[in-house]
Amino acid sequence: MNIRVALAAFSAALLAFSANTAVATPVVTIPSFMQVSLSMGANGSQSAIFGTTHLKAGLFTDTFYFADTATLALVNGGLSTIGLAAVFDIDFITATLNGIAFDFRKTSLLRVFEAKEIGKFTNQELFSPFTLIVNGRAGQGLADGAAIAASYSGNINVTDVTNVPEPSSFALLAVGLAGAGWVARRRRVLKTNA
């Protein structure tokens, strides 16, 4: 019985202590998910233009999902942002398409250091569907949660490469041509002997 009383007193003291203790709140990365449709081009390729605007400063993770049929495709694309002031600034940390990283370059614009940032993704063979994950910080130098209007945009181009024959198709073609050649030669030999 004394153990129960002691345990209850200890629990009450621990609860009172934890209620008075300040706990630091970590910066939360708010993920967002957007599904983007690919548009069919004249030559059978597909493309999409996408983007988003962040209204609060802080870290972000944006996920773009490009629905398509499950095929092998040659994919390229890009991301870009221009921030001439902190309230318009996006700093990309990473961006990956199906796990393959974008290459980023920052440049100055109108005497503003690193005002323009461009990410490129060049010609990779990937299986669809495609998932683009963009991590970054909106509102450089501003307190987390500050009101901003920082945006970025991007594009993706998809060319189906499944029309390229498999090596086994070439082997089958070679066997068929060899067979046709053998039949033609046999007919010619039979004509000369007759």
Side-chain angles (χ1 to χ4, degrees):
M1 190 79 133
N2 288 338
I3 294 176
R4 287 186 185 169
V5 172
L7 193 55
F10 177 74
S11 298
L14 185 60
L15 183 60
F17 174 75
S18 63
N20 292 328
T21 305
V23 177
T25 306
V27 175
V28 177
T29 301
I30 300 172
S32 65
F33 178 83
M34 291 155 260
Q35 186 155 350
V36 181
S37 296
L38 293 166
S39 300
M40 187 62 75
N43 61 356
S45 65
Q46 295 177 305
S47 63
I49 298 172
F50 58 92
T52 191
T53 300
H54 290 275
L55 302 176
K56 291 186 179 183
L59 296 172
F60 65 85
T61 299
D62 295 331
T63 302
F64 297 91
Y65 179 78
F66 302 92
D68 190 18
T69 58
T71 61
L72 179 65
L74 186 64
V75 183
N76 62 51
L79 293 169
S80 64
T81 184
I82 297 174
L84 297 175
V87 295
F88 304 121
D89 188 45
I90 294 278
D91 285 329
F92 295 117
I93 297 171
T94 62
T96 59
L97 184 64
N98 286 14
I100 299 176
F102 276 65
D103 294 321
F104 285 101
R105 185 181 86 235
K106 294 182 179 186
T107 59
S108 299
L109 183 67
L110 300 175
R111 298 184 185 177
V112 177
F113 180 68
E114 296 183 348
K116 184 177 180 183
E117 192 168 350
I118 297 173
K120 291 184 180 178
F121 186 86
T122 54
N123 295 333
Q124 296 284 330
E125 285 188 356
L126 301 173
F127 282 98
S128 63
F130 310 111
T131 303
L132 171 63
I133 300 173
V134 181
N135 294 298
R137 175 145 180 48
Q140 179 185 12
L142 298 176
D144 288 343
I148 61 170
S151 63
Y152 67 89
S153 62
N155 68 313
I156 184 171
N157 304 301
V158 179
T159 304
D160 186 12
V161 294
T162 57
N163 295 334
V164 177
E166 295 280 331
S168 60
S169 298
F170 285 122
L172 186 61
L173 175 65
V175 168
L177 289 174
W182 179 78
V183 167
R185 180 182 167 118
R186 183 166 163 83
R187 284 184 181 167
R188 189 176 45 198
V189 169
L190 289 175
K191 275 186 180 181
T192 57
N193 289 339

